[in-house]
Amino acid sequence: MPQAAVGRWVGLIAAIAVSGLLCLVIDNQHWWIHTLKGFLLLCATGIFWYVSWWH
């Protein structure tokens, strides 16, 4: 994966994570939904990394 693509990928993951944290701050009543979304984001990131680098 070229370095520019890695930068875009990291930027996208960071933007999604920050927006998720902002949603959690705004609506912390349903914290478990945000936790689940964060976990799914980590899983998707791991799968994307594995497929990009090892296949």
Side-chain angles (χ1 to χ4, degrees):
M1 183 181 292
Q3 229 173 359
V6 171
R8 285 191 299 270
W9 178 58
V10 169
L12 176 63
I13 297 301
I16 292 170
V18 168
S19 66
L21 288 173
L22 287 174
C23 286
L24 181 59
V25 169
I26 292 169
D27 178 25
N28 61 2
Q29 201 169 30
H30 299 104
W31 61 269
W32 61 272
I33 293 173
H34 301 290
T35 304
L36 177 62
K37 289 192 297 186
F39 176 73
L40 292 174
L41 175 64
L42 284 175
C43 290
T45 301
I47 292 169
F48 179 78
W49 176 82
Y50 177 78
V51 170
S52 295
W53 288 94
W54 299 106
H55 288 270

